[in-house]
Coordinates of all heavy atoms in Angstrom, one line a residue:
D2 N 95.7 238.1 78.1 CA 94.6 238.8 77.5 C 94.1 237.9 76.4 O 94.8 237.4 75.5 CB 95.1 240.1 76.9 CG 94.0 240.9 76.2 OD1 92.9 240.4 76.1 OD2 94.3 242.0 75.7
D14 N 99.0 232.7 50.2 CA 100.2 233.6 50.3 C 100.9 233.3 51.6 O 102.1 233.4 51.7 CB 99.7 235.0 50.3 CG 99.3 235.5 48.9 OD1 99.6 234.7 47.9 OD2 98.6 236.5 48.8
R20 N 108.6 231.4 56.2 CA 110.0 230.9 56.2 C 110.4 230.6 57.7 O 109.9 231.1 58.6 CB 111.0 231.9 55.7 CG 110.9 232.3 54.2 CD 111.6 231.3 53.3 NE 110.9 230.0 53.3 CZ 109.8 229.7 52.6 NH1 109.2 230.6 51.8 NH2 109.3 228.5 52.6
G31 N 103.7 240.2 72.6 CA 102.7 240.4 73.6 C 101.9 239.1 73.8 O 101.8 238.2 73.0
G49 N 89.8 211.8 66.7 CA 88.6 211.7 67.6 C 88.4 213.0 68.3 O 87.7 213.0 69.3
Q75 N 121.6 228.1 69.6 CA 121.7 229.3 70.4 C 120.6 230.3 70.0 O 120.1 231.0 70.9 CB 123.1 230.0 70.1 CG 123.4 231.2 71.0 CD 123.3 230.9 72.5 OE1 123.7 229.8 73.0 NE2 122.7 231.8 73.2
A93 N 95.7 210.2 73.9 CA 95.3 209.5 72.6 C 95.1 208.0 72.8 O 94.3 207.4 72.1 CB 96.4 209.8 71.6
S128 N 109.1 232.4 63.3 CA 109.4 231.2 64.1 C 110.1 230.2 63.3 O 110.4 230.4 62.1 CB 108.1 230.7 64.7 OG 108.4 229.6 65.7
C129 N 110.5 229.1 63.9 CA 111.2 228.0 63.3 C 110.8 226.7 64.0 O 110.8 226.7 65.2 CB 112.7 228.2 63.3 SG 113.6 226.9 62.5
I131 N 111.6 223.7 65.7 CA 112.8 223.1 66.2 C 112.4 221.6 66.6 O 111.6 221.4 67.5 CB 113.3 223.8 67.5 CG1 113.6 225.3 67.2 CG2 114.6 223.1 68.0 CD1 114.7 225.5 66.3
D135 N 117.3 217.2 72.8 CA 117.4 216.1 73.7 C 116.1 216.1 74.5 O 115.8 216.9 75.3 CB 118.6 216.4 74.6 CG 118.7 215.3 75.7 OD1 117.7 214.6 76.0 OD2 119.9 215.1 76.2
G148 N 104.1 210.1 79.6 CA 103.0 210.0 78.6 C 102.8 211.3 77.9 O 101.9 211.4 77.0
S153 N 108.0 219.6 69.4 CA 108.6 220.7 68.6 C 108.6 221.9 69.5 O 107.7 222.2 70.3 CB 107.7 221.0 67.4 OG 108.1 222.2 66.8

Side-chain angles (χ1 to χ4, degrees):
D2 178 358
D14 288 344
R20 290 282 66 79
Q75 185 57 40
S128 187
C129 180
I131 305 291
D135 179 335
S153 173

